[in-house]
Amino acid sequence: MRRRSAGGGGGGGEWMEASGPGRARRGWRRARAAGSPLSRAAVVLLLSAFVARASSSVGYLIRLPRGFRLTQDTVKIVGSSNFPVKVYVMLHQKSPHVLCVTQRLRNSELIDPSFQWHGPKGKIISENSTTQVTSTGSLIFQNFEEGMSGVYTCFLEYKPTVEEIVKNLQLKYVIYAYREPHYYYQFTARYHAAPCNSIYNISFEKKLLQILSKLVLDLSCEVSLLKSECHHVKMQRAGLQNELFFTFSVSSLDTEKGPKPCADHNCESSKRLSKAKNLIERFFNQQVEVLGRRAEPLPEIYYIEGTLQMVWINRCFPGYGMNTLKHPKCPECCVICSPGSYNPRDGTHCLQCNSSLVYGAKACL
């Protein structure tokens, strides 16, 4: 876990960074003017004014380290007669060429070679809609699915020379599906509130979420409320006051929910999320600035400066996990937990990853 202040820019394991906007006069929490508060309608108008002030000129987040990808046609994987070779294929992508030779045999002349592949579902024919075995024995997947993960064995027969007898070789590969992590920002913020049983708190919560959602809409990001609670807080050397504790997430609308917003490199989800994060931080900072310049009494519901906190969460989808010890060549990939254990009954995999980043997966029955 890495923590940082909001003044700065903005995982193999889950890592977080925390931030909070600049601190203004926290004394507002105890020094509200004695006069009557502004109307609750004014609170909504005040929030709307902040949105109009929010600018879209923000910095970029440094790109997250990406998983080790083996999806290019030029990548070719050779086997070993001593141990199974691990191969990682991005979900729904074309695989590298998995060769039915060792590195030594690849550089040798083979007489009358014969290749035969077997996978989790039995013998693989030379070509079908998703799998291809070339004339030289290479195994290629056109659109790799979860259920294709598992152990693949190639049986090779060949003669080193015309005069020699036929030799046999068996090569094993463990082929894993992997996917990009699911990453998002999680924010918490506190507001001075109306009495906890007041309907005005609920109305304010809905309006705040609408404003935050509108703020990041053009970035193809979405805001989701995770938790909202009202509590009585005993202040230092003061009495009780009501506070709303908001927890919400900001995530990118990924390709599984629809087409990519654009094909440009700058439209990657991590960069769009970084822009959304900065807009939200600026929105809360501007609430502090605007309220600090007010001559009138504070509204009944207002943001408590210095309480915005943010964490960056990097997790795998159900049935996938990161494990640097088991997958050292794909340390930041969300690798399928148990290749070959696909359960067609509910579309899940047995949970056998030693990874804290696996969540929500069902056990196979």
Side-chain angles (χ1 to χ4, degrees):
M1 179 179 290
R2 286 200 308 238
R3 298 193 177 273
R4 65 172 181 83
S5 65
E14 176 175 338
W15 62 274
M16 300 180 179
E17 56 182 1
S19 71
R23 307 187 61 83
R25 299 194 308 276
R26 195 172 181 86
W28 288 348
R29 303 178 65 183
R30 299 187 297 270
R32 294 187 61 199
S36 60
L38 294 180
S39 68
R40 294 177 176 93
V43 176
V44 172
L45 292 176
L46 190 62
L47 276 174
S48 301
F50 294 142
V51 172
R53 290 169 52 88
S55 169
S56 60
S57 58
V58 295
Y60 289 137
L61 176 72
I62 297 175
R63 282 202 66 190
L64 290 177
R66 295 290 183 174
F68 182 67
R69 294 194 180 187
L70 291 174
T71 58
Q72 299 89 349
D73 291 342
T74 56
V75 177
K76 297 182 179 180
I77 312 297
V78 296
S80 171
S81 56
N82 300 320
F83 53 86
V85 173
K86 296 179 180 180
V87 182
Y88 304 92
V89 184
M90 185 96 171
L91 195 63
H92 305 308
Q93 300 296 321
K94 187 175 181 179
S95 74
H97 291 221
V98 184
L99 308 186
C100 189
V101 290
T102 62
Q103 185 62 47
R104 182 182 65 82
L105 291 178
R106 187 184 183 190
N107 300 319
S108 303
E109 189 176 71
L110 305 181
I111 306 298
D112 296 329
S114 171
F115 312 94
Q116 189 175 108
W117 280 93
H118 288 258
K121 298 179 181 179
K123 183 180 178 180
I124 300 174
I125 60 176
S126 59
E127 187 172 357
N128 56 43
S129 59
T130 58
T131 309
Q132 175 188 359
V133 178
T134 69
S135 59
T136 56
S138 297
L139 178 66
I140 306 170
F141 299 96
Q142 300 298 331
N143 181 23
F144 200 78
E145 302 287 347
E146 290 178 335
M148 297 177 181
S149 298
V151 178
Y152 287 78
T153 305
C154 179
F155 299 92
L156 169 63
E157 291 185 355
Y158 68 97
K159 290 182 179 182
T161 65
V162 175
E163 293 78 14
E164 294 187 60
I165 63 172
V166 174
K167 291 193 175 183
N168 298 280
L169 181 64
Q170 178 177 313
L171 301 175
K172 286 186 178 293
Y173 296 86
V174 185
I175 302 183
Y176 297 88
Y178 80 95
R179 63 193 303 175
E180 293 286 359
H182 172 57
Y183 33 80
Y184 60 94
Y185 286 106
Q186 181 172 301
F187 290 87
T188 57
R190 294 162 66 175
Y191 277 79
H192 189 282
C196 284
N197 59 354
S198 172
I199 192 174
Y200 296 108
N201 290 335
I202 299 176
S203 299
F204 175 81
E205 170 193 306
K206 292 180 179 179
K207 184 63 179 179
L208 177 61
L209 286 175
Q210 289 176 0
I211 292 173
L212 293 174
S213 297
K214 183 179 179 181
L215 201 62
V216 302
L217 181 62
D218 290 341
L219 296 171
S220 294
C221 293
E222 62 179 352
V223 175
S224 302
L225 179 66
L226 301 179
K227 185 169 60 175
S228 177
E229 298 176 341
C230 183
H231 294 279
H232 304 293
V233 180
K234 170 66 172 64
M235 306 305 300
Q236 295 179 358
R237 301 180 182 180
L240 291 173
Q241 72 176 26
N242 305 310
E243 290 189 11
L244 288 173
F245 290 71
F246 287 107
T247 302
F248 61 94
S249 65
V250 181
S251 58
S252 172
L253 293 171
D254 53 35
T255 55
E256 293 185 359
K257 296 182 180 180
K260 291 185 178 180
C262 70
D264 193 292
H265 179 74
N266 291 328
C267 292
E268 290 180 354
S269 59
S270 60
K271 293 187 176 181
R272 290 187 282 111
L273 273 175
S274 178
K275 292 181 181 180
K277 172 190 71 73
N278 285 321
L279 285 176
I280 288 174
E281 287 181 330
R282 179 171 297 182
F283 168 73
F284 282 93
N285 275 327
Q286 287 177 341
Q287 292 184 66
V288 175
E289 295 170 5
V290 172
L291 290 175
R293 294 193 297 266
R294 294 180 61 86
E296 300 87 352
L298 293 174
E300 185 172 26
I301 303 176
Y302 62 88
Y303 168 64
I304 300 172
E305 43 75 31
T307 62
L308 181 69
Q309 297 293 319
M310 181 272 296
V311 293
W312 166 261
I313 298 179
N314 185 4
R315 286 182 175 172
C316 293
F317 287 89
Y320 291 78
M322 295 181 186
N323 191 321
T324 56
L325 297 178
K326 185 176 181 180
H327 305 293
K329 290 189 176 181
C330 207
E332 294 179 359
C333 305
C334 286
V335 181
I336 196 167
C337 291
S338 182
S341 64
Y342 186 71
N343 185 355
R345 294 180 60 185
D346 59 5
T348 60
H349 293 263
C350 294
L351 183 58
Q352 296 179 4
C353 287
N354 295 322
S355 171
S356 62
L357 296 183
V358 181
Y359 67 103
K362 300 177 182 178
C364 292
L365 301 177

